[in-house]
Amino acid sequence: MKLALIGSGKIIMMALDALKTMQEIELVALCVRPESEEKGKVLCQQFGIAKLYTDYQVLLQDEEVDTVYIGLPNHLHYQYTEQALMANKHVICEKPFTPHWEQLQELILLSQKRNLFLFEAITSIHTPEFAIIKQNMGKIGEIKAIQGNYSQYSSRYNDYLQGHVHGAFDPKQAGGALYDINLYNIYLLVALMGKPDNSRYICNRGFNGIDTSGIFTAQYATATASCVGAKDSASPGFFIIQGTKGYIQVQGAPSLCQKVEVCIEGETSTVIRDESINHMIYEFAYFRDQVASQKRQQSDELLALALSVSKVLTEARENVGLIFE
């Protein structure tokens, strides 16, 4: 894989840290905004990146690049992904894929038509610990209840309270708690249980209508679920699946799946991943191997999951009249 990174924010820094240990991924180029060119030069020197671009269209003409990783604000994902696919590049796009599920549907069809790979960068479902959760789902009996909470007091929230709106709290940039943080709870829920039979979203709204925190509830044939996501308050993170014979609990941020406790008929075991491991290495390894194999079945299955999650998020947003342009 010959990869170009698009952006220079926090998520790009995490990706760079992960990629420095990855084999068979060549980091060919970095693309930043013109006003971030000096920062881009420093990053290129620090991480041994040969090419720096400040024009995305010029980067897309680089024949050496076969895959782009889009680490930009949410509202730019659709546009940048579509342009990359039209330039015959495979695409790894940060979550959430698109603000509207219809846009994602278009991108999936475009990627399939052009025989290109399209991935959503969701860390949790690629971790070894998520595989352990799936392996034990059938051992805890009939699933009855699922609870998730991912809440962090945003470093941008104090500014928001003073009327200074960053992208994370801007509906014009597809911000808010549902799409930024509760998404991780909902992704685990849908990945493990499928799309709910019905669902509802209630939330606390800020002065510009954005959801600063909220609760997503869902109903399945024999189970109920609730997912809390907050950017205006904090709580220990967790995700727990309760069955008639036991439970499975993610302890800590649901986005990481770093510590998983499994209890089956009173017998408890715990798996803890080393904190020093950059959790993004697992998803990048998956993306690399999929592109190398040129087999689309697994990636198409994950695109179907992404589309289901996107549909659930869109419906939840419509529940409360939260409008994204």
Side-chain angles (χ1 to χ4, degrees), residues 11 118 126 166 201 281 288:
I11 195 67
L118 176 61
H126 296 290
H166 297 275
Y201 186 53
I281 65 172
R288 174 200 63 198

Side-chain angles (χ1 to χ4, degrees), residues 120 122-127 130-131 187-188 191 255 257 302 305:
E120 185 173 21
I122 288 289
T123 53
S124 56
I125 64 172
H126 296 290
T127 62
F130 178 75
Y187 226 104
L188 285 177
S255 61
C257 281
L302 286 187
L305 169 60

Side-chain angles (χ1 to χ4, degrees), residues 68-110:
V68 298
Y69 170 85
I70 298 171
L72 299 172
N74 298 351
H75 69 296
L76 298 176
H77 291 180
Y78 171 77
Q79 173 190 349
Y80 275 68
T81 298
E82 181 186 41
Q83 291 174 356
L85 292 172
M86 292 300 295
N88 290 317
K89 309 296 185 186
H90 306 299
V91 178
I92 303 165
C93 183
E94 258 306 318
K95 63 83 188 170
F97 242 142
T98 57
H100 308 277
W101 77 273
E102 296 93 343
Q103 292 177 322
L104 178 54
Q105 200 169 36
E106 292 176 17
L107 294 177
I108 291 172
L109 291 173
L110 179 60

Side-chain angles (χ1 to χ4, degrees), residues 93-193:
C93 183
E94 258 306 318
K95 63 83 188 170
F97 242 142
T98 57
H100 308 277
W101 77 273
E102 296 93 343
Q103 292 177 322
L104 178 54
Q105 200 169 36
E106 292 176 17
L107 294 177
I108 291 172
L109 291 173
L110 179 60
S111 69
Q112 292 172 340
K113 180 180 179 180
R114 301 181 78 87
N115 196 31
L116 294 165
F117 284 92
L118 176 61
F119 306 106
E120 185 173 21
I122 288 289
T123 53
S124 56
I125 64 172
H126 296 290
T127 62
E129 290 72 25
F130 178 75
I132 291 171
I133 295 172
K134 290 193 72 174
Q135 290 166 9
N136 286 282
M137 283 285 288
K139 301 177 183 179
I140 61 172
E142 187 173 60
I143 308 301
K144 290 297 183 182
I146 303 101
Q147 303 172 68
N149 191 322
Y150 191 8
S151 300
Q152 293 179 338
Y153 191 89
S154 172
S155 61
R156 308 291 193 181
Y157 188 58
N158 287 341
D159 283 350
Y160 177 77
L161 293 176
Q162 299 300 316
H164 183 195
V165 180
H166 297 275
F169 291 99
D170 189 352
K172 293 180 180 179
Q173 297 189 50
L178 178 67
Y179 273 67
D180 182 38
I181 200 163
N182 212 352
L183 173 147
Y184 287 108
N185 292 317
I186 294 169
Y187 226 104
L188 285 177
L189 177 66
V190 178
L192 295 169
M193 298 289 292

